[in-house]
């Protein structure tokens, strides 16, 4: 029996309207419809969600962990991007 | 349901490299390790083994309880048991997914289980002879599993820790439904209470074995603790379980099958008798009461589902060709 590999899908669940879909895990399924069905059975047995996304895992492009410094450290020194960097006299009130 | 400290020997890494030092520093700082991060090969191997054994245990754990679905004493009990067995299947799937992030395929893991190379928790090689066994499994087996799994929610490997958080949330229903079954039996007729006592007699010692060999024998614990895969030793978790469980059994009016069980006033801990580690090793080596049945049932299910998997893939390929 030459059994092919069943594709992997990443599962995202929206817990309630107003919230973003959040990654919860993955499932194996032959096609998108079956992936949705499997995601429903595996990840929403207790009212965890109102909406599901399944995305083929190989469609996700991820940043390389070794690039983390190059990509994300520069913002550490840019404190002027935060509101607390600026001084506003207390008399002005909340801003 | 459960990860057993099987403590398989591994040539653990005395990995001395700048990468390994940085890795250990991250662990020490309670940082989580994610799949694409650098990690020592031994860390990867240890996790693949532990997570997949855990997943296999969930899947095989469906069998002893599935045995009673059609004979549950009421619709309420039947619905609860169905939901519980379905949860165990779900737990297996969360865990397989977590293992796969380490670079092992689902097919490989399934094959390891079906060929008998992979281990799973020894507890599932015991038979479920009466309805009271279903109560006992929920109360004791899931109770032991929870003891083990709560610290795993803080495991250093992110996907495993996240899967465990989901599992623990669901596991508490399992334990409570089991205890409720026991309580109903213990408040029932003398025959029903005797059934509960008989189940406790058979399951108590195997449940204590679920925590794995004693600390004096577990060569492996140190590395796992240093990597924060494991947070407590086997013996510490076992003691915690006994301390929590004995009063629950007393409330039921049941007697534990251990004449040496007594409360040590000074430490506040329940002291228990000697565990039969020969039995543990025998069951683990494949010679428990149900090892062959369990494996045969899994092999049969897999073989009989092959045409479904093939058909689904063929259908998907056809749809893709049509769309192209």
């Amino acid at each position: 029996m030459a059994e092919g590999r069943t594709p992997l899908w990443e599962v995202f669940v929206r817990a309630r309207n107003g919230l973003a879909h959040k990654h919860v895990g993955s499932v194996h399924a032959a096609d998108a419809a079956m992936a949705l069905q499997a995601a429903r059975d595996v990840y929403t047995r207790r009212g965890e969600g109102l909406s599901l996304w399944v995305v083929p895992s190989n469609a996700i492009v991820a940043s390389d962990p070794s690039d983390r410094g190059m990509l994300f450290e520069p913002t550490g020194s840019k404190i002027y991007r935060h509101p607390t960097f600026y001084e506003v006299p207390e008399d002005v009130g909340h801003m | 349901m459960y990860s057993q400290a099987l403590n398989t020997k591994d040539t653990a890494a005395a990995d001395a490299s700048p990468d390994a030092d940085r890795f250990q520093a991250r662990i020490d700082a309670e940082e989580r390790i994610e799949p694409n991060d650098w990690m020592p090969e031994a860390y990867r191997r240890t996790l693949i083994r532990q997570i997949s054994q855990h997943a296999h245990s969930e899947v095989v754990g469906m069998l002893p309880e599935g045995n009673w679905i059609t004979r549950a004493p009421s619709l309420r009990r039947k619905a609860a048991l169905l939901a519980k067995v379905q949860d165990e299947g779900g737990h297996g799937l969360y865990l397989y997914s977590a293992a796969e992030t380490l670079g092992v395929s689902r097919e490989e893991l399934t094959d390891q289980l079906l060929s008998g190379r992979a281990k799973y928790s020894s507890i599932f090689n015991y038979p479920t002879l009466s309805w009271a066994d279903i109560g006992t499994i929920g109360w004791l087996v899931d109770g032991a599993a929870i003891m083990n799994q709560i610290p795993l929610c803080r495991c250093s490997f992110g996907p495993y820790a996240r899967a465990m958080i989901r599992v623990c949330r669901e596991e508490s229903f399992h334990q409570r439904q089991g205890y409720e079954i026991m309580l109903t039996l213990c408040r029932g007729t003398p025959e029903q209470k005797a059934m509960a006592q008989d189940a406790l007699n058979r399951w108590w010692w195997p449940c204590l074995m679920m925590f794995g060999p004693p600390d004096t024998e577990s060569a492996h614990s140190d590395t796992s603790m240093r990597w924060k895969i494991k947070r407590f030793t086997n013996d510490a978790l076992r003691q915690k379980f006994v301390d929590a469980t004995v009063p629950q059994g007393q409330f039921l009016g049941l007697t534990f099958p251990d004449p040496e069980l007594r409360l040590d006033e000074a430490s506040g801990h329940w002291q228990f008798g000697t565990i039969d580690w020969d039995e543990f090793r025998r069951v683990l080596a494949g010679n428990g009461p149900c090892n062959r049945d369990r494996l045969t049932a899994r092999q049969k299910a897999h073989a009989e589902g092959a045409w479904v998997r093939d058909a689904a893939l063929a259908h998907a390929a056809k749809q893709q060709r049509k769309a192209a």
Side-chain angles (χ1 to χ4, degrees), chain A residues 6-20:
Chain A
T6 309
L8 187 65
W9 306 74
E10 298 304 317
V11 180
F12 300 79
V13 175
R14 185 203 291 283
R16 352 177 257 282
N17 276 0
L19 294 181

Side-chain angles (χ1 to χ4, degrees), chain B residues 102 201 263:
Chain B
L102 290 159
N201 292 349
L263 183 64

